[in-house]
Amino acid sequence: AVGPVTTADVDLADACGAVICAFNVKYADATVASRVKGIKVLSHTVIYHMLDDIGKEIEKAAPMVKQEVVIGEGEILQVFNLNTRKSGEYVVAGL
């Protein structure tokens, strides 16, 4: 929303479990409500600082996603022990 942070903004953030990001606005009217409800208010006058804080909040909220990429396949032909290798394999596909 545009304009100062209000108690309605705090209520909405509380219902959604969100963080309020305020840029170059006042939020004196909503200070008490945000403290009572435990809503974090990020207030900045420098846009780059606000973007850094938003990025940190997204990293905290987003789960880590691991993606496995198959770059090749191998077929075990025979198992034997060497100093550096544990099996003999044949590259079927990939690198």
Side-chain angles (χ1 to χ4, degrees):
V2 178
V5 179
T6 64
T7 54
D9 295 326
V10 174
D11 292 338
L12 182 60
D14 185 38
C16 299
V19 175
I20 297 174
C21 300
F23 177 67
N24 211 22
V25 295
K26 299 185 186 227
Y27 66 97
D29 296 340
T31 302
V32 174
S34 65
R35 286 186 185 154
V36 168
K37 294 187 177 190
I39 301 300
K40 190 173 187 178
V41 178
L42 304 175
S43 179
H44 294 287
T45 56
V46 178
I47 191 75
Y48 303 109
H49 296 165
M50 186 178 87
L51 293 174
D52 288 342
D53 280 352
I54 290 172
K56 290 174 187 173
E57 291 297 319
I58 290 172
E59 286 177 5
K60 284 188 228 175
M64 294 296 292
V65 176
K66 292 185 179 182
Q67 183 177 5
E68 185 176 312
V69 178
V70 177
I71 60 170
E73 293 180 25
E75 182 180 327
I76 304 292
L77 300 176
Q78 181 180 2
V79 177
F80 54 92
N81 291 320
L82 294 174
N83 292 339
T84 59
R85 261 182 141 163
K86 295 294 179 188
S87 65
E89 54 190 45
Y90 176 75
V91 177
V92 176
L95 301 175

